[in-house]
Amino acid sequence: MTQLAVSGASGKTGWRVVDEALKRGQSVRAIVRPGSELPSALAQAEKEGLLEVLRLELDTAEALLHALQGCRALVIATGARPSINLAGPLQVDAWGVKAQVQACRSLGLKRVVLVSSLCAGRWLHPLNLFGLILIWKRAGEHCLERSGLDWTVIRPGGLSEDDSRSTTEGVLVTDADQQQSNSIPRRLVAQMCLDAIEQPRACGRILEITSSPAQPKQSLGQWLDQIA
């Protein structure tokens, strides 16, 4: 059985989730949109037969069911990008998440981790200038929360491309609506998503995460002990 499916796997966070999972020896199915270009690390893994890649539109129900068949867990790393298409966040962060949740329910795929955003649901935020992106992210979260699945929402702060930070910074983990700013490298977000899948106590929780050099390194389990 394929262990893990990752949607949005060609994106800046999604490809790192796939990369980290492969490093942990997991079997991964990368779900990307038609025409998406894979980062070199994933392209090489696909070439070597270490990674299965499926290309499809998430609003195609039959294709989505096929893509998730046989998987035990899904990381939803899809996300709308700022653009002139102000309907993008609605289509990707709300409807797109809903479609994936419905597919999981149909297949009996129970474990789902959603990458959302710090401040999801807040109206007074600059990101909402790009099609109410935080409002639609919260709508996607709501859909997952009401699904009956074993869900976790990861809300990262400002996303950094600097992977080197992942080796020098510790992660601050809190419950929902406790953090408002600060950043975190995407590599740490990817690691946290995979840790959450393996941590039963992370089910049914929204976890906000940021990082800094001053923050001591702790496991997700240790954080859950503190914020229980």
Side-chain angles (χ1 to χ4, degrees):
M1 173 182 285
T2 298
Q3 291 185 327
L4 177 68
V6 181
S7 60
S10 62
K12 294 179 180 179
T13 299
W15 84 260
R16 288 174 168 88
V17 176
V18 174
D19 189 49
E20 287 292 326
L22 291 175
K23 289 178 178 178
R24 297 184 185 194
Q26 297 185 20
S27 173
V28 188
R29 182 175 296 162
I31 300 173
V32 302
R33 295 183 64 184
S36 295
E37 184 176 345
L38 289 177
S40 59
L42 301 197
Q44 184 63 31
E46 181 186 22
K47 183 178 179 180
E48 295 175 0
L50 302 175
L51 174 66
E52 182 181 7
V53 179
L54 295 182
R55 299 180 180 276
L56 64 142
E57 297 288 356
L58 292 177
D59 59 359
T60 307
E62 185 176 349
L64 187 53
L65 287 170
H66 171 72
L68 296 176
Q69 186 72 46
C71 296
R72 71 172 182 90
L74 167 66
V75 174
I76 301 176
T78 52
R81 298 174 181 176
S83 75
I84 60 173
N85 177 18
L86 296 183
L90 169 62
Q91 295 166 342
V92 176
D93 296 311
W95 294 347
V97 170
K98 181 179 180 180
Q100 293 177 77
V101 168
Q102 289 176 336
C104 289
R105 293 183 64 184
S106 296
L107 292 169
L109 193 166
K110 295 289 290 182
R111 190 71 180 98
V112 179
V113 172
L114 169 64
V115 181
S116 183
S117 174
L118 213 63
C119 301
R122 297 188 187 183
W123 282 93
L124 299 177
H125 195 284
L127 280 178
N128 285 329
L129 296 174
F130 302 99
L132 299 177
I133 189 168
L134 293 177
I135 301 304
W136 296 126
K137 281 189 178 294
R138 182 64 187 130
E141 291 181 1
H142 269 304
C143 180
L144 183 57
E145 291 170 32
R146 297 191 299 263
S147 67
L149 302 174
D150 296 332
W151 60 271
T152 303
V153 172
I154 301 292
R155 288 182 178 174
L159 294 166
S160 168
E161 307 299 319
D162 185 359
D163 282 356
S164 67
R165 289 178 53 187
S166 65
T167 62
T168 60
E169 298 186 7
V171 179
L172 171 64
V173 182
T174 63
D175 280 324
D177 304 320
Q178 301 299 306
Q179 302 189 60
Q180 299 186 43
S181 60
N182 293 333
S183 66
I184 185 168
R186 293 180 188 270
R187 181 70 61 174
L188 283 180
V189 177
Q191 293 171 4
M192 187 63 63
C193 288
L194 298 176
D195 292 346
I197 288 175
E198 304 303 332
Q199 178 54 258
R201 289 184 296 156
C203 290
R205 304 187 74 153
I206 296 175
L207 300 175
E208 297 185 338
I209 58 173
T210 58
S211 67
S212 76
Q215 189 67 44
K217 290 181 177 291
Q218 295 189 106
S219 68
L220 178 57
Q222 290 174 312
W223 275 114
L224 293 175
D225 288 338
Q226 295 179 38
I227 63 178

